[in-house]
Amino acid sequence: MAKNKEYLPWDASTLRAIRDSMETLNGSWKLSILLALKSGAKRFRQIARAVDGISDKMLSKELKNLETNLLVKQTVYNTFPPTVEYEMTEHADTLQEVMFALTKWGKLHRKKITQG
């Protein structure tokens, strides 16, 4: 281990916090959905087009899960037919540092495992 770095204590509360984070972002689609919403509010079809390969059923399920976790907000407009938009919440913005760290580690990891 490198010197002069701050390390998390490996205790039950640390592991619980990591598990909560992983469970919130778990799955093949949640990060792709959040990335699609990063540029602003979108309708269901727009998200479906931006997230290649996701079924309508899975997108609906994942959006509900992201709403439950306060990462996505659904707004229903009083139009006919009703207009529904989804957008990232301020709470989702707190993932910025996490995403940066995961990206950095993921690139390092991929490089390490592909070098043999």
Side-chain angles (χ1 to χ4, degrees), residues 77 83-84:
Y77 296 96
T83 302
V84 180

Side-chain angles (χ1 to χ4, degrees), residues 1-27:
M1 287 199 241
K3 293 181 180 179
N4 300 325
K5 283 197 170 184
E6 183 181 344
Y7 290 97
L8 291 170
W10 286 99
D11 59 19
S13 78
T14 299
L15 294 176
R16 185 173 44 250
I18 292 170
R19 189 176 22 227
D20 288 348
S21 301
M22 298 296 287
E23 286 175 4
T24 300
L25 299 174
N26 188 28

